[in-house]
Amino acid sequence: MTDLSDSSNFIIKNALLSSRLSKRVGHCLSVHGMSMTEFLVLHSLEGAPRKALSRIELAELLGMSASGITRLVAPMEKIGLVSKESNPRDARQSLVKISETGQRLYSEASVGFDHISNELTENISSVQLEKILELYGRVK
Amino acid sequence: MTDLSDSSNFIIKNALLSSRLSKRVGHCLSVHGMSMTEFLVLHSLEGAPRKALSRIELAELLGMSASGITRLVAPMEKIGLVSKESNPRDARQSLVKISETGQRLYSEASVGFDHISNELTENISSVQLEKILELYGRVK
DNA sequence: GATATATGATTGAGTAATCAACTATTAAAC
DNA sequence: GTTTAATAGTTGATTACTCAATCATATATC
Protein backbone atom coordinates (compact mmCIF):
# COMPACT_ATOMS: atom_id res chain seq x y z
CA MET A 1 0.00 0.00 0.00
CA THR A 2 2.76 2.47 -0.92
CA ASP A 3 4.93 3.85 -3.79
CA LEU A 4 2.75 6.79 -4.87
CA SER A 5 3.41 10.47 -4.09
CA ASP A 6 2.33 12.19 -0.90
CA SER A 7 -0.44 13.87 -2.85
CA SER A 8 -1.80 10.57 -4.13
CA ASN A 9 -1.54 9.05 -0.71
CA PHE A 10 -3.41 11.99 0.70
CA ILE A 11 -6.24 11.54 -1.81
CA ILE A 12 -6.43 7.82 -1.12
CA LYS A 13 -6.25 7.99 2.66
CA ASN A 14 -8.71 10.84 2.66
CA ALA A 15 -11.24 8.79 0.70
CA LEU A 16 -10.80 5.78 2.96
CA LEU A 17 -10.99 7.86 6.13
CA SER A 18 -14.06 9.70 5.03
CA SER A 19 -15.93 6.53 4.16
CA ARG A 20 -15.04 5.10 7.56
CA LEU A 21 -16.09 8.26 9.39
CA SER A 22 -19.34 8.62 7.46
CA LYS A 23 -20.29 5.08 8.39
CA ARG A 24 -19.60 5.63 12.08
CA VAL A 25 -21.36 8.95 12.23
CA GLY A 26 -24.18 7.74 9.98
CA HIS A 27 -24.85 4.90 12.37
CA CYS A 28 -25.12 7.39 15.22
CA LEU A 29 -27.48 9.65 13.23
CA SER A 30 -29.70 6.71 12.33
CA VAL A 31 -30.88 6.76 15.93
CA HIS A 32 -32.68 9.97 14.93
CA GLY A 33 -33.92 8.33 11.72
CA MET A 34 -31.55 10.45 9.70
CA SER A 35 -28.74 9.87 7.22
CA MET A 36 -25.48 11.81 7.00
CA THR A 37 -26.62 13.69 3.88
CA GLU A 38 -29.96 14.56 5.47
CA PHE A 39 -28.05 15.92 8.45
CA LEU A 40 -25.93 18.00 6.08
CA VAL A 41 -29.08 19.41 4.47
CA LEU A 42 -30.45 20.50 7.83
CA HIS A 43 -27.05 21.84 8.83
CA SER A 44 -26.77 23.90 5.65
CA LEU A 45 -30.31 25.26 5.97
CA GLU A 46 -29.77 26.13 9.61
CA GLY A 47 -26.77 28.22 8.62
CA ALA A 48 -28.46 29.87 5.65
CA PRO A 49 -29.57 33.56 5.68
CA ARG A 50 -33.33 33.03 5.86
CA LYS A 51 -33.09 29.37 6.86
CA ALA A 52 -33.79 28.54 3.24
CA LEU A 53 -31.82 27.62 0.14
CA SER A 54 -32.66 26.78 -3.45
CA ARG A 55 -32.10 23.23 -4.66
CA ILE A 56 -29.19 24.38 -6.76
CA GLU A 57 -27.47 26.06 -3.83
CA LEU A 58 -28.00 22.96 -1.74
CA ALA A 59 -26.54 20.80 -4.50
CA GLU A 60 -23.53 23.09 -4.71
CA LEU A 61 -22.94 23.01 -0.95
CA LEU A 62 -23.26 19.23 -0.65
CA GLY A 63 -21.37 18.48 -3.85
CA MET A 64 -24.37 16.62 -5.25
CA SER A 65 -26.40 16.80 -8.44
CA ALA A 66 -29.70 18.67 -8.61
CA SER A 67 -31.58 15.44 -9.10
CA GLY A 68 -29.88 13.97 -6.07
CA ILE A 69 -31.21 16.89 -4.05
CA THR A 70 -34.73 16.42 -5.39
CA ARG A 71 -34.68 12.79 -4.27
CA LEU A 72 -33.03 13.56 -0.96
CA VAL A 73 -35.34 16.39 0.05
CA ALA A 74 -38.65 14.83 -1.04
CA PRO A 75 -38.99 12.44 1.93
CA MET A 76 -37.74 15.13 4.32
CA GLU A 77 -40.55 17.33 3.12
CA LYS A 78 -43.04 14.51 3.49
CA ILE A 79 -42.19 14.07 7.18
CA GLY A 80 -42.20 17.82 7.76
CA LEU A 81 -38.52 18.57 8.37
CA VAL A 82 -38.46 21.08 5.56
CA SER A 83 -41.06 22.89 3.50
CA LYS A 84 -41.20 23.99 -0.10
CA GLU A 85 -41.38 27.75 -0.65
CA SER A 86 -41.67 29.49 -3.96
CA ASN A 87 -39.64 32.51 -4.91
CA PRO A 88 -41.97 35.30 -6.12
CA ARG A 89 -39.10 36.75 -8.17
CA ASP A 90 -38.43 33.50 -10.00
CA ALA A 91 -41.14 30.89 -10.48
CA ARG A 92 -38.58 28.27 -11.54
CA GLN A 93 -37.01 28.16 -8.13
CA SER A 94 -38.46 26.24 -5.25
CA LEU A 95 -36.72 27.06 -2.02
CA VAL A 96 -36.16 24.49 0.69
CA LYS A 97 -36.82 25.90 4.14
CA ILE A 98 -36.14 24.19 7.44
CA SER A 99 -39.24 23.86 9.66
CA GLU A 100 -39.57 24.17 13.44
CA THR A 101 -39.62 20.37 13.61
CA GLY A 102 -36.54 20.26 11.41
CA GLN A 103 -34.70 22.70 13.65
CA ARG A 104 -35.62 20.72 16.73
CA LEU A 105 -34.48 17.45 15.19
CA TYR A 106 -31.28 19.06 13.94
CA SER A 107 -30.32 20.37 17.34
CA GLU A 108 -31.07 16.99 18.92
CA ALA A 109 -29.00 15.17 16.34
CA SER A 110 -26.17 17.70 16.63
CA VAL A 111 -25.57 16.66 20.19
CA GLY A 112 -24.90 13.07 19.21
CA PHE A 113 -23.01 14.16 16.13
CA ASP A 114 -20.73 16.38 18.18
CA HIS A 115 -20.26 13.68 20.75
CA ILE A 116 -19.20 10.99 18.30
CA SER A 117 -17.03 13.47 16.40
CA ASN A 118 -15.15 14.40 19.54
CA GLU A 119 -14.70 10.77 20.40
CA LEU A 120 -13.35 9.88 16.97
CA THR A 121 -10.86 12.73 16.96
CA GLU A 122 -9.95 12.76 20.62
CA ASN A 123 -6.29 12.10 19.79
CA ILE A 124 -6.06 15.27 17.74
CA SER A 125 -5.96 18.70 19.36
CA SER A 126 -8.29 21.52 18.40
CA VAL A 127 -5.36 23.50 17.08
CA GLN A 128 -4.42 20.65 14.80
CA LEU A 129 -8.00 20.15 13.63
CA GLU A 130 -8.22 23.82 12.75
CA LYS A 131 -4.93 23.58 10.94
CA ILE A 132 -6.26 20.67 8.88
CA LEU A 133 -9.43 22.62 8.08
CA GLU A 134 -7.30 25.52 6.92
CA LEU A 135 -5.28 23.19 4.69
CA TYR A 136 -8.49 21.65 3.30
CA GLY A 137 -9.39 25.13 2.14
CA ARG A 138 -6.27 25.16 0.01
CA VAL A 139 -7.18 22.05 -1.95
CA LYS A 140 -8.27 22.98 -5.43
CA MET B 1 -22.49 26.53 7.87
CA THR B 2 -20.99 26.89 11.38
CA ASP B 3 -21.70 26.52 15.13
CA LEU B 4 -20.53 22.93 15.63
CA SER B 5 -17.27 21.87 17.30
CA ASP B 6 -13.96 21.63 15.44
CA SER B 7 -14.33 17.87 15.51
CA SER B 8 -17.75 17.99 13.85
CA ASN B 9 -16.53 20.50 11.32
CA PHE B 10 -13.61 18.25 10.57
CA ILE B 11 -15.90 15.29 9.91
CA ILE B 12 -18.20 17.36 7.71
CA LYS B 13 -15.50 19.10 5.68
CA ASN B 14 -13.68 15.85 5.31
CA ALA B 15 -16.74 14.18 3.83
CA LEU B 16 -17.38 17.05 1.44
CA LEU B 17 -13.75 17.27 0.40
CA SER B 18 -13.45 13.58 -0.21
CA SER B 19 -16.55 13.46 -2.38
CA ARG B 20 -15.20 16.36 -4.42
CA LEU B 21 -11.78 14.79 -4.78
CA SER B 22 -13.14 11.36 -5.68
CA LYS B 23 -15.18 12.89 -8.47
CA ARG B 24 -12.23 14.79 -9.91
CA VAL B 25 -9.89 11.84 -9.68
CA GLY B 26 -12.57 9.40 -10.80
CA HIS B 27 -13.09 11.41 -13.94
CA CYS B 28 -9.38 11.20 -14.68
CA LEU B 29 -9.31 7.43 -14.08
CA SER B 30 -12.29 6.91 -16.37
CA VAL B 31 -9.93 7.63 -19.26
CA HIS B 32 -8.46 4.22 -18.43
CA GLY B 33 -11.93 2.73 -18.13
CA MET B 34 -11.51 2.46 -14.39
CA SER B 35 -13.34 3.71 -11.30
CA MET B 36 -11.74 5.01 -8.12
CA THR B 37 -12.56 1.83 -6.20
CA GLU B 38 -11.20 -0.35 -8.98
CA PHE B 39 -8.00 1.67 -8.85
CA LEU B 40 -7.87 1.11 -5.10
CA VAL B 41 -8.25 -2.63 -5.63
CA LEU B 42 -5.30 -2.70 -8.03
CA HIS B 43 -3.32 -0.44 -5.71
CA SER B 44 -3.93 -2.72 -2.75
CA LEU B 45 -3.08 -5.86 -4.71
CA GLU B 46 0.07 -4.28 -6.08
CA GLY B 47 1.22 -3.58 -2.54
CA ALA B 48 0.27 -7.00 -1.17
CA PRO B 49 2.88 -9.68 -0.28
CA ARG B 50 2.24 -12.09 -3.14
CA LYS B 51 0.26 -9.58 -5.23
CA ALA B 52 -2.85 -11.29 -3.96
CA LEU B 53 -5.43 -10.77 -1.22
CA SER B 54 -8.54 -12.56 -0.04
CA ARG B 55 -11.89 -10.89 -0.57
CA ILE B 56 -12.20 -10.25 3.12
CA GLU B 57 -8.81 -8.55 3.33
CA LEU B 58 -9.73 -6.42 0.35
CA ALA B 59 -13.03 -5.46 1.97
CA GLU B 60 -11.19 -4.53 5.15
CA LEU B 61 -8.65 -2.38 3.30
CA LEU B 62 -11.22 -0.54 1.21
CA GLY B 63 -13.75 -0.21 4.01
CA MET B 64 -16.34 -2.07 2.00
CA SER B 65 -18.60 -5.05 2.58
CA ALA B 66 -17.68 -8.51 1.30
CA SER B 67 -20.57 -8.44 -1.13
CA GLY B 68 -19.39 -5.11 -2.43
CA ILE B 69 -16.03 -6.71 -3.20
CA THR B 70 -17.66 -9.64 -4.99
CA ARG B 71 -19.54 -7.26 -7.27
CA LEU B 72 -16.57 -4.95 -7.74
CA VAL B 73 -14.07 -7.65 -8.59
CA ALA B 74 -16.27 -9.77 -10.87
CA PRO B 75 -16.05 -7.48 -13.92
CA MET B 76 -12.33 -6.87 -13.28
CA GLU B 77 -11.82 -10.59 -13.45
CA LYS B 78 -13.88 -10.81 -16.62
CA ILE B 79 -11.63 -8.33 -18.42
CA GLY B 80 -8.51 -9.98 -17.08
CA LEU B 81 -7.18 -7.39 -14.63
CA VAL B 82 -7.23 -9.90 -11.80
CA SER B 83 -7.56 -13.65 -11.52
CA LYS B 84 -9.20 -15.91 -8.98
CA GLU B 85 -6.85 -18.20 -7.07
CA SER B 86 -7.81 -20.80 -4.54
CA ASN B 87 -6.05 -21.28 -1.26
CA PRO B 88 -5.08 -24.97 -0.84
CA ARG B 89 -5.10 -24.50 2.95
CA ASP B 90 -8.64 -23.15 3.02
CA ALA B 91 -11.16 -24.02 0.34
CA ARG B 92 -13.48 -21.24 1.50
CA GLN B 93 -11.09 -18.54 0.47
CA SER B 94 -10.73 -17.35 -3.09
CA LEU B 95 -7.80 -15.03 -3.46
CA VAL B 96 -7.79 -12.11 -5.86
CA LYS B 97 -4.49 -11.78 -7.70
CA ILE B 98 -3.45 -8.95 -9.96
CA SER B 99 -2.50 -10.06 -13.50
CA GLU B 100 0.25 -8.76 -15.79
CA THR B 101 -2.41 -6.78 -17.64
CA GLY B 102 -3.68 -5.44 -14.33
CA GLN B 103 -0.20 -4.34 -13.31
CA ARG B 104 0.35 -2.62 -16.63
CA LEU B 105 -2.97 -0.81 -16.42
CA TYR B 106 -2.33 0.15 -12.81
CA SER B 107 1.02 1.71 -13.58
CA GLU B 108 -0.44 3.58 -16.53
CA ALA B 109 -3.33 4.89 -14.44
CA SER B 110 -0.99 5.79 -11.58
CA VAL B 111 0.71 8.36 -13.74
CA GLY B 112 -2.52 10.26 -14.32
CA PHE B 113 -3.60 9.71 -10.75
CA ASP B 114 -0.37 11.16 -9.42
CA HIS B 115 -0.56 14.04 -11.81
CA ILE B 116 -4.07 15.09 -10.89
CA SER B 117 -3.32 14.55 -7.19
CA ASN B 118 -0.34 16.86 -7.34
CA GLU B 119 -2.36 19.43 -9.17
CA LEU B 120 -5.19 19.34 -6.65
CA THR B 121 -2.88 19.68 -3.68
CA GLU B 122 -0.28 21.98 -5.19
CA ASN B 123 -0.95 24.63 -2.55
CA ILE B 124 0.00 22.25 0.25
CA SER B 125 3.60 21.29 0.90
CA SER B 126 4.81 17.71 1.16
CA VAL B 127 5.65 18.24 4.80
CA GLN B 128 2.12 19.36 5.49
CA LEU B 129 0.61 16.48 3.53
CA GLU B 130 2.69 14.05 5.55
CA LYS B 131 1.61 15.76 8.73
CA ILE B 132 -2.03 15.35 7.73
CA LEU B 133 -1.46 11.68 6.94
CA GLU B 134 0.10 11.24 10.36
CA LEU B 135 -2.92 12.90 11.99
CA TYR B 136 -5.29 10.71 9.96
CA GLY B 137 -3.63 7.77 11.59
CA ARG B 138 -4.74 9.07 14.96
CA VAL B 139 -8.42 9.14 14.10
CA LYS B 140 -10.19 6.29 15.84
C1' DG C 1 -42.93 41.24 -28.79
C1' DA C 2 -41.44 36.58 -31.04
C1' DT C 3 -37.53 33.52 -31.04
C1' DA C 4 -33.41 31.53 -29.08
C1' DT C 5 -30.94 30.42 -25.22
C1' DA C 6 -29.99 29.69 -20.40
C1' DT C 7 -31.44 28.19 -15.77
C1' DG C 8 -34.12 25.52 -11.98
C1' DA C 9 -36.12 21.49 -11.11
C1' DT C 10 -38.02 16.76 -11.95
C1' DT C 11 -38.17 12.13 -14.06
C1' DG C 12 -36.53 7.50 -16.10
C1' DA C 13 -32.87 4.44 -16.49
C1' DG C 14 -28.64 2.84 -14.86
C1' DT C 15 -24.71 2.06 -11.36
C1' DA C 16 -22.38 1.09 -7.09
C1' DA C 17 -22.86 0.18 -2.96
C1' DT C 18 -25.53 -1.87 1.33
C1' DC C 19 -27.83 -5.45 4.38
C1' DA C 20 -29.89 -9.86 5.31
C1' DA C 21 -30.18 -14.45 4.06
C1' DC C 22 -27.89 -18.22 2.28
C1' DT C 23 -24.15 -21.96 0.97
C1' DA C 24 -19.83 -24.07 1.77
C1' DT C 25 -16.06 -24.98 4.44
C1' DT C 26 -13.30 -25.01 8.65
C1' DA C 27 -12.47 -25.13 13.66
C1' DA C 28 -13.95 -26.12 18.41
C1' DA C 29 -16.32 -28.69 22.06
C1' DC C 30 -18.00 -32.59 23.87
C1' DG D 1 -16.38 -38.32 15.26
C1' DT D 2 -20.77 -35.60 15.62
C1' DT D 3 -22.61 -31.44 16.58
C1' DT D 4 -21.98 -26.47 17.04
C1' DA D 5 -20.27 -22.35 15.94
C1' DA D 6 -17.44 -19.33 13.26
C1' DT D 7 -15.57 -17.70 8.75
C1' DA D 8 -15.39 -16.75 3.42
C1' DG D 9 -18.02 -15.75 -0.14
C1' DT D 10 -22.26 -15.10 -3.12
C1' DT D 11 -27.03 -13.68 -4.17
C1' DG D 12 -31.65 -10.97 -3.96
C1' DA D 13 -33.69 -6.92 -2.67
C1' DT D 14 -33.08 -2.25 -1.60
C1' DT D 15 -30.89 2.44 -1.26
C1' DA D 16 -28.56 6.51 -2.72
C1' DC D 17 -26.84 8.43 -5.92
C1' DT D 18 -25.60 9.76 -11.23
C1' DC D 19 -26.46 11.24 -16.10
C1' DA D 20 -29.36 12.39 -20.01
C1' DA D 21 -33.67 13.95 -21.33
C1' DT D 22 -37.42 16.84 -20.38
C1' DC D 23 -40.53 20.68 -18.81
C1' DA D 24 -41.30 25.25 -17.24
C1' DT D 25 -39.82 29.70 -16.57
C1' DA D 26 -36.61 33.63 -17.32
C1' DT D 27 -33.44 36.41 -20.02
C1' DA D 28 -31.40 38.27 -24.22
C1' DT D 29 -31.53 39.41 -29.24
C1' DC D 30 -33.37 40.79 -33.26
Side-chain angles (χ1 to χ4, degrees), chain B residues 18-136:
Chain B
S18 132
S19 109
R20 238 184 65 212
L21 291 178
S22 297
K23 265 164 211 156
R24 297 284 226 106
V25 171
H27 182 265
C28 146
L29 288 172
S30 74
V31 171
H32 302 274
M34 202 190 305
S35 71
M36 174 85 176
T37 47
E38 286 170 327
F39 180 80
L40 289 176
V41 167
L42 295 182
H43 177 64
S44 304
L45 293 176
E46 195 68 310
R50 308 184 55 77
K51 304 234 181 260
L53 291 168
S54 77
R55 266 119 167 110
I56 295 289
E57 289 170 317
L58 222 27
E60 193 71 23
L61 280 171
L62 303 206
M64 284 177 58
S65 65
S67 68
I69 295 296
T70 295
R71 294 182 155 105
L72 174 58
V73 164
M76 297 178 73
E77 196 188 333
K78 192 164 283 177
I79 62 173
L81 301 181
V82 300
S83 63
K84 191 179 273 188
E85 302 228 328
S86 53
N87 180 351
R89 311 220 162 223
D90 189 340
R92 289 170 304 178
Q93 277 195 357
S94 83
L95 301 173
V96 182
K97 180 169 191 174
I98 189 168
S99 69
E100 288 291 336
T101 312
Q103 294 185 45
R104 209 174 318 116
L105 185 62
Y106 171 69
S107 74
E108 279 168 28
S110 298
V111 177
F113 189 92
D114 241 40
H115 185 266
I116 187 79
S117 301
N118 280 306
E119 204 169 288
L120 290 169
T121 61
E122 72 182 7
N123 292 321
I124 307 181
S125 75
S126 248
V127 173
Q128 285 168 323
L129 285 175
E130 277 165 21
K131 181 65 183 167
I132 293 181
L133 289 176
E134 189 264 307
L135 293 173
Y136 280 0

Side-chain angles (χ1 to χ4, degrees), chain A residues 41-127:
Chain A
V41 167
L42 296 182
H43 178 63
S44 305
L45 294 176
E46 194 69 308
R50 308 184 57 77
K51 305 235 180 258
L53 291 168
S54 77
R55 266 121 165 107
I56 295 288
E57 290 169 318
L58 222 28
E60 193 70 23
L61 281 170
L62 303 205
M64 284 177 58
S65 65
S67 68
I69 296 296
T70 295
R71 293 180 156 105
L72 174 58
V73 165
M76 298 178 73
E77 197 189 332
K78 193 164 281 177
I79 63 173
L81 300 180
V82 300
S83 63
K84 191 180 275 188
E85 301 228 329
S86 52
N87 180 352
R89 312 221 162 224
D90 191 338
R92 289 171 303 181
Q93 276 194 359
S94 84
L95 301 172
V96 182
K97 181 168 191 175
I98 189 168
S99 69
E100 288 292 334
T101 313
Q103 294 184 44
R104 210 174 316 115
L105 185 61
Y106 171 70
S107 75
E108 280 168 28
S110 298
V111 178
F113 188 92
D114 241 40
H115 184 266
I116 187 81
S117 301
N118 280 306
E119 204 169 288
L120 290 169
T121 62
E122 72 182 8
N123 292 323
I124 307 181
S125 75
S126 249
V127 173

